[in-house]
Amino acid sequence: MKIAVCVKVVPDPSEITFDPQTKTVSRRNARNILNAADLNALEWALHLKAHTGATVWTFSMGPPFAAQNLADTIAMGADDAFLVSDRALAESDTLPTSLALAKAIEKAGGADLVFCGDETSDSATGQVPASIAEHLNYAQVTFARDLVLEPEKHAVRVTRELEGGQSLVESDLPCVISILSGSNRPRYTLFATRQGARASFKPKVWGIADLGLPREVVGAAGSPTRVSAVTAAPSAHRESLRIKGPAREAARKLAEALEARGAFEGVH
Amino acid sequence: MPRVPPESRSDWRGVLVVAEHRGKALMPITRELLAKGHDLAERLSTTLNCAVLAADPAPLVKEAIAYGADRVFCAASPRFEHYNTEPYVDLLAPLILKERPEALLLGGTRNGRDLAGRLAVRLTSGIGADSTDIRVNTETRNLEMVKPAFGGLILAAIVCENHRPQIATARPNVFSPLPPDWKRIAQVTRVEVPEAKGRPRTRVVRETYEPEGRARIEDAKVVVCVGRGIGSPERVETAAELARCLTAQLASTRPVADLGWVPHNQMIGQTGAFVRPSVYIGFGVSGQVAHTIGLAGTRTIAAVNKDPKAPIFAMADIAVEGDVSEILPAFLEEVKRRSKGAAQGALPERPPQA
Amino acid sequence: MTVKLNDAAVDALRADIPSLQACYQCGDCTAACPWAARVPGFSPRRVMRGLQIGSGFSESELWRCTACSACTVACPRGLNPPSVIATARRRALVEQNIPSGVQRALESLADRGNPFGMGASSRGKWAEGLGLVDHGQFPVLLFAGCTASFDPRAHGALRTLARALQVSKTKFGLLGRRETCCGNEALAMGEVGLFEALARENIRAIEESGATTVVAASPHCYNALKNEYPRLGLSGVEVLHYTEMLARLLSDHKLATPGKIARKVAYHDPCYLGRVNRVFEAPRDVLIGAGARLIELESNRDGALCCGGGGGGAFREVPLNERLSVARVKEAVEAGAEVLATACPVCVQMFEDALAVTGLQGSLEVKDTSELVSRAMGVTVRH
């Protein structure tokens, strides 16, 4: 059984700031880490590996420095890792991104299961897993809280978590599954093991030519969407608003301040 | 569609909303999308369409029309009883290529995103995902889909200029539904459901629904947290009532959990839960670091405490200095007052039990 | 959830801990252990035995120890059970037998250089507005430590300490963002590799600063810098705890405490300052000199009760009725103290927590010694 896990290297969310002058997001202080939900996905794959002897390969699309984070997936227990990296992929939206990852999985021989985190901490679209499934023509099940393999049936039973409920889905293999963030506790990697992997492991690196992708279908050229403007969200500046005074007035000001920050979107 | 050159873009007209339903009623997100779709269709001088795929579409069709659809495409089949990716995509993709809507609106719900990601590739188009606002340029007929990114730090405006349909998934509870007009008439078109070629690759075994209270604290979008300064279990009850009014989760710091005033699995902190809500309101929370490390990623932090030097104020966006025993009940009154105002034409919040 | 040691692991453990075989199971450690007194069935002697013969033992037994070293003092063979337990914990980490709070703390240390999940770039924020030097070279280095740097509650003590040093005209500086966790807790939690990486980073930064004296705000950092860093290359540096520095400055008349505290103060000896590193009198001298009416708690100096925060204790959930910090604050109240003074930011956190949960906030104040001394010095700092 082969399990492919797609991981994304993202800037540490706790260190990202927005510069309202230049209107850009500053990642200056942010280390590059593996997206948290992808670690839950990898943990599921390693859990299945322990029980079924499956092979686990990790895939990522990113700049060359992502190789280090892929080494971390090896330290955690993955068997091999592949990095799709090419300048031509810059500014790709979810369409070419999912295409590149799908092509990489195909080139590596395909998989029975493809696990992805449900969404990333930076762009948070949550669209890539379903898109990968369509590119690969695999079945898909998204937002999985729990899954059970049924090897005799060559199938998997997945508990999807929906708003206010759950859906139990049985899927044939091969299948792409997006894993709910926080659905398990990713295993701890001993520091020395991580250092060792970083020093010795090099992922296979593929560019668009290796994947047979022409320039027109990747990068900005291959992206139907683009970002036309970026502004700071109302809550981006943590300028504290101080409220004092008699209780009724303070309560009213608190409600107003929360409303002004869009905090009550979602409350009827 | 692969790139649609400007001269062919006039072929693509209309806004299409894909309905989500549970049992015999539409999900709230669909009513919200119909309202937004109606607004966009008006600005674009075009029709608002709704696609209803269900085992028994009739009641849903009626509801879609009442909430604003000018035309409903309905497809009836047992395979549409519960949402399932491939039956939906296999019906919708040809329908969309035939009817050519310029904009496709889906819920930013789990099912909506499941569908959008697959449809976008099937149709070779782009998505403005998780939008909190959708504007339109009536000249170019391009949508501007605004979404939060980087944990809510920025708002990014996404455009899909050269491909059709432009797909937007909308965050739930952002757009307000129109008041229903059950006397509205609209065109209903039955869509033929092709013979299934064998069984679908994924099959829904069963769906179950949970009463509200069972949601996990980690998934909470709004958190009302009580600290030691709350003072008594009676006041914790007041905070719990506030949480219900705000559709929020009640949480606590460790001392309060230790005292047994709030269940331990609702404790936020180093040795408890880590939360990433949009809003956190702390009552009597001093802000010890062992608690606040569980709040990283909260978009808006508000805190009420009588100690002006309480550490939580250093990280709060809204700092209220005052007595919790007075401010909490006053704030509860304020929230109730506001929601009564909004409740004109209120809608059922909870999806119907299947 | 049992940590089983297979033969290869036991052999490796024995190779790690040569002294393990010297334990002759006398039980003096258990008699001295504050956890053994409160938790039925917990026994350091049994943990040592389990490691000797390779039997399994539970996660809670392995992670109970807060490195207070009461056992070390009691052991007739000069053994050090906390460090034996730390080595066993390394096995537990590999076998994924880790309390979740401990795992979070370790992962945060590896990624961000602090156990709290706070961004590394905000490490020096506590010093804003004080005009302190955090680059270049200086003879005295103030090593802030993670707890004091990131816990707003501890900023007051740290800022007043820095201000006091300024008033004494001591030429000192900070490492600022080049400071990373001292690694003391990482070592106690079994992560030798992580500890060494953190230590090497700090040693490099200390050498670059040219400092010949390092003053640690926390006894945990003090312990690591003084006892663990030399074998990793730190040399030619005198390591002091801040109470030792204050005592020195006061006796050299570079500082004075004209205002008198005039409160009944019970001093709690932090484990890493008192029992482990034998610094008992300097904090007391400083408090008495500042006019405190010092009272001694029944368990003091060598016999002081641990606050429960060391050895990863601050990252673990402990049931209310077992908490050492609760017992300690009650002890202070019963002794008639108005203030429980200590010299460790972790102790301060643990005791404040204990006050909150017992409702004793009205009966007792918890203060770091620097706060009391600064008040007596007439030094105030904006928050």
Side-chain angles (χ1 to χ4, degrees):
Chain A
M1 156 145 299
K2 265 184 52 197
I3 308 178
V5 182
C6 295
V7 302
K8 184 177 180 186
V9 176
V10 298
D12 184 347
S14 70
E15 293 276 47
I16 307 231
T17 53
F18 181 72
D19 185 340
Q21 308 294 55
T22 60
K23 285 193 185 294
T24 50
V25 171
S26 172
R27 307 162 55 137
R28 201 168 39 91
N29 291 321
R31 305 169 31 107
N32 294 303
I33 60 173
L34 285 168
N35 179 48
D38 301 348
L39 289 173
N40 297 117
L42 179 55
E43 176 58 32
W44 268 112
L46 295 173
H47 170 78
L48 288 179
K49 174 180 168 176
H51 287 253
T52 66
T55 310
V56 175
W57 289 356
T58 53
F59 295 79
S60 189
M61 183 182 108
F65 63 66
Q68 190 175 241
N69 304 89
L70 283 174
D72 290 352
T73 66
I74 301 293
M76 217 168 134
D79 298 296
D80 207 352
F82 301 79
L83 176 62
V84 176
S85 188
D86 197 314
R87 280 219 145 85
L89 287 163
E91 291 175 70
S92 291
D93 74 3
T94 56
L95 187 68
T97 300
S98 53
L99 177 62
L101 287 167
K103 285 289 173 206
I105 293 170
E106 264 175 8
K107 185 176 168 74
D112 300 288
L113 287 165
V114 178
F115 288 172
C116 307
D118 61 350
E119 69 178 45
T120 58
S121 57
D122 52 3
S123 37
T125 65
Q127 311 289 179
V128 168
S131 299
I132 292 177
E134 175 68 9
H135 285 300
L136 285 172
N137 191 19
Y138 285 7
Q140 79 186 47
V141 186
T142 56
F143 303 104
R145 169 161 298 291
D146 193 15
L147 56 106
V148 178
L149 214 49
E150 299 185 313
E152 344 71 61
K153 292 204 224 168
H154 203 55
V156 61
R157 277 210 167 195
V158 183
T159 303
R160 300 182 63 217
E161 195 166 276
L162 305 177
E163 293 78 10
Q166 296 188 327
S167 181
L168 179 61
V169 173
E170 186 180 76
S171 174
D172 298 337
L173 304 183
C175 182
V176 174
I177 305 183
S178 85
I179 302 286
L180 216 52
S181 173
S183 55
N184 56 36
R185 206 218 294 188
R187 63 198 55 194
Y188 182 71
T189 308
L190 210 58
F191 191 81
T193 308
R194 202 212 270 194
Q195 296 293 81
R198 285 189 173 191
S200 62
F201 177 79
K202 300 275 169 280
K204 287 200 192 28
V205 183
W206 288 332
I208 59 170
D210 299 303
L211 301 177
L213 291 172
R215 278 188 177 262
E216 312 80 72
V217 305
V218 297
S223 299
T225 64
R226 67 180 181 89
V227 177
S228 62
V230 168
T231 51
S235 51
H237 343 276
R238 282 230 192 269
E239 279 158 34
S240 194
L241 167 71
R242 276 264 160 165
I243 299 174
K244 285 193 242 206
R248 284 221 174 281
E249 208 181 291
R252 192 182 45 82
K253 286 189 186 154
L254 172 59
E256 269 168 20
L258 285 169
E259 202 158 36
R261 283 162 175 279
F264 287 148
E265 281 170 15
V267 174
H268 282 288
Chain B
M1 271 274 86
R3 295 173 76 89
V4 177
E7 54 279 16
S8 318
R9 232 166 279 151
S10 58
D11 293 350
W12 293 78
R13 282 289 181 269
V15 178
L16 176 65
V17 170
V18 177
E20 285 187 55
H21 56 85
R22 212 167 263 175
K24 296 202 184 328
L26 292 175
M27 293 289 280
I29 182 66
T30 304
R31 299 181 205 121
E32 293 158 22
L33 287 172
L34 286 168
K36 183 34 109 170
H38 176 88
D39 168 55
L40 293 171
E42 267 201 356
R43 287 172 203 273
L44 290 166
S45 305
T46 186
T47 43
L48 173 61
N49 308 289
C50 185
V52 174
L53 286 63
D56 172 20
L60 302 163
V61 171
K62 260 174 101 170
E63 202 181 338
I65 296 171
Y67 279 96
D70 302 314
R71 183 176 181 187
V72 180
F73 294 93
C74 78
S77 164
R79 75 177 82 136
F80 299 138
E81 186 188 347
H82 298 293
Y83 171 78
N84 192 358
T85 315
E86 289 188 278
Y88 265 65
V89 173
D90 290 344
L91 186 101
L92 288 168
L95 176 66
I96 289 166
L97 290 174
K98 173 160 178 259
E99 299 296 330
R100 305 198 156 197
E102 58 201 304
L104 176 65
L105 302 185
L106 301 170
T109 54
R110 299 228 156 118
N111 285 345
R113 295 155 111 194
D114 182 287
L115 180 60
R118 194 130 195 169
L119 262 183
V121 177
R122 183 76 58 99
L123 299 170
T124 313
S125 193
I127 308 169
D130 196 31
S131 305
T132 52
D133 192 11
I134 305 175
R135 305 190 272 258
V136 67
N137 179 325
T138 48
E139 257 184 62
T140 60
R141 302 183 81 90
N142 287 331
L143 299 181
E144 195 183 60
M145 301 165 277
V146 179
K147 74 174 301 298
F150 287 103
L153 195 61
I154 59 164
L155 293 175
I158 311 288
V159 294
C160 177
E161 292 156 313
N162 298 310
H163 291 75
R164 293 294 182 265
Q166 306 163 84
I167 306 174
T169 62
R171 190 177 271 203
N173 292 324
V174 167
F175 304 120
S176 300
L178 299 168
D181 176 1
W182 297 98
K183 298 210 208 59
R184 282 187 88 239
I185 317 260
Q187 188 184 353
V188 179
T189 305
R190 299 198 73 87
V191 179
E192 208 186 288
V193 181
E195 274 296 314
K197 297 184 211 115
R199 67 176 191 176
R201 292 191 285 187
T202 55
R203 302 161 288 281
V204 178
V205 174
R206 70 174 160 273
E207 282 198 0
T208 52
Y209 308 113
E210 281 161 359
E212 253 162 60
R214 294 249 306 273
R216 297 188 328 145
I217 188 87
E218 285 88 346
D219 299 331
K221 291 280 183 284
V222 184
V223 169
V224 171
C225 186
V226 293
R228 191 64 175 74
I230 195 75
S232 69
E234 291 73 45
R235 237 171 267 130
V236 175
E237 243 319 293
T238 314
E241 201 193 330
L242 175 65
R244 283 189 290 274
C245 291
L246 291 173
T247 323
Q249 289 281 338
L250 181 68
S252 81
T253 59
R254 200 162 84 143
V256 173
D258 285 338
L259 289 165
W261 295 351
V262 175
H264 232 270
N265 65 354
Q266 288 163 231
M267 180 183 82
I268 295 174
Q270 173 105 48
T271 55
F274 277 34
V275 297
R276 300 171 306 162
S278 302
V279 184
Y280 164 103
I281 313 175
F283 291 96
V285 173
S286 62
Q288 300 303 328
V289 91
H291 171 67
T292 58
I293 84 170
L295 307 183
T298 304
R299 203 147 54 105
T300 303
I301 298 175
V304 181
N305 198 303
K306 69 174 185 276
D307 175 9
K309 295 225 206 87
I312 190 127
F313 287 152
M315 66 186 308
D317 301 285
I318 306 166
V320 184
E321 270 178 52
D323 193 335
V324 169
S325 64
E326 291 175 6
I327 296 184
L328 173 59
F331 184 65
L332 175 58
E333 282 310 304
E334 189 62 38
V335 169
K336 282 183 173 166
R337 203 175 56 75
R338 278 155 191 266
S339 60
K340 267 204 188 60
Q344 309 303 329
L347 309 151
E349 253 319 304
R350 208 177 311 155
Q353 301 297 311
Chain C
M1 250 271 199
T2 318
V3 181
K4 282 218 179 318
L5 301 178
N6 55 35
D7 288 327
V10 171
D11 290 341
L13 201 59
R14 287 189 186 137
D16 276 342
I17 318 169
S19 63
L20 190 57
Q21 296 313 312
C23 167
Y24 59 16
Q25 293 283 291
C26 68
D28 281 4
C29 51
T30 300
C33 175
W35 294 103
R38 283 167 181 78
V39 179
F42 177 71
S43 152
R45 178 194 61 74
R46 257 229 310 279
V47 176
M48 294 293 277
R49 187 62 178 159
L51 291 168
Q52 280 179 329
I53 63 176
S55 66
F57 42 85
S58 71
E59 178 185 310
S60 69
E61 277 183 285
L62 199 50
W63 293 100
R64 174 71 61 181
C65 174
T66 52
C68 80
S69 301
C71 50
T72 309
V73 166
C75 178
R77 302 215 110 177
L79 301 181
N80 191 348
S83 74
V84 171
I85 288 171
T87 307
R89 285 174 175 179
R90 186 159 82 213
R91 300 293 160 203
L93 293 178
V94 171
E95 296 187 26
Q96 304 299 320
N97 276 303
I98 322 167
S100 62
V102 168
Q103 182 171 347
R104 268 193 203 129
L106 288 172
E107 284 169 351
S108 178
L109 278 169
D111 284 342
R112 301 184 177 93
N114 71 80
F116 306 121
M118 312 283 268
S121 66
S122 50
R123 194 179 183 97
K125 281 213 155 91
W126 67 268
E128 268 166 14
L130 291 177
L132 300 178
V133 174
D134 63 2
H135 53 273
Q137 308 226 304
F138 32 79
V140 176
L141 167 67
L142 175 58
F143 194 93
C146 296
T147 306
S149 294
F150 290 103
D151 183 1
R153 170 56 185 85
H155 287 172
L158 194 50
R159 284 169 70 87
T160 53
L161 175 61
R163 193 77 187 90
L165 290 173
Q166 279 177 323
V167 164
S168 73
K169 298 207 182 7
T170 307
K171 275 195 166 33
F172 75 102
L174 312 171
L175 290 180
R177 286 182 51 183
R178 286 172 305 145
E179 185 187 285
T180 189
C181 180
C182 66
N184 195 62
E185 303 312 285
L187 190 59
M189 290 188 281
E191 259 286 9
V192 173
L194 176 57
F195 165 72
E196 291 186 357
L198 293 166
R200 293 209 162 88
E201 209 180 308
N202 279 324
I203 290 171
R204 202 165 31 236
I206 294 171
E207 284 169 355
E208 277 164 19
S209 75
T212 49
T213 303
V214 177
V215 177
S218 163
H220 295 253
C221 306
Y222 175 61
N223 183 69
L225 289 160
K226 185 165 183 197
N227 300 324
E228 305 287 349
Y229 278 35
R231 67 181 163 79
L232 293 174
L234 185 69
S235 63
V237 168
E238 181 192 28
V239 178
L240 296 175
H241 181 256
Y242 84 77
T243 51
E244 295 178 296
M245 184 66 171
L246 285 181
R248 191 183 284 185
L249 292 173
L250 286 163
S251 75
D252 288 349
H253 302 293
K254 297 219 173 86
L255 279 182
T257 50
K260 293 301 168 194
I261 300 171
R263 316 268 303 280
K264 264 166 102 185
V265 177
Y267 174 72
H268 161 85
D269 295 275
C271 299
Y272 274 113
L273 185 61
R275 193 167 26 247
V276 178
N277 286 296
R278 324 307 296 165
V279 177
F280 301 115
E281 303 314 322
R284 286 175 168 82
D285 291 343
V286 161
L287 284 168
I288 291 169
R293 280 148 50 206
L294 205 66
I295 61 174
E296 291 291 352
L297 297 174
E298 200 187 311
S299 56
N300 62 71
R301 291 184 176 75
D302 249 352
L305 180 65
C306 177
C307 74
F315 310 118
R316 274 183 53 234
E317 259 309 290
V318 174
L320 197 50
N321 60 332
E322 292 171 11
R323 284 191 211 160
L324 303 182
S325 53
V326 167
R328 194 60 161 162
V329 301
K330 285 184 177 165
E331 197 186 336
V333 169
E334 269 151 42
E338 296 172 275
V339 180
L340 179 58
T342 180
C344 172
V346 179
C347 293
V348 169
Q349 263 185 353
M350 300 300 287
F351 292 147
E352 291 237 327
D353 216 31
L355 286 185
V357 90
T358 52
L360 285 170
Q361 286 124 324
S363 317
L364 186 70
E365 265 188 83
V366 171
K367 292 272 177 224
D368 203 321
T369 298
S370 64
E371 294 176 288
L372 294 169
V373 169
S374 299
R375 211 185 287 170
M377 283 173 57
V379 169
T380 49
V381 187
R382 272 174 313 114
H383 270 247

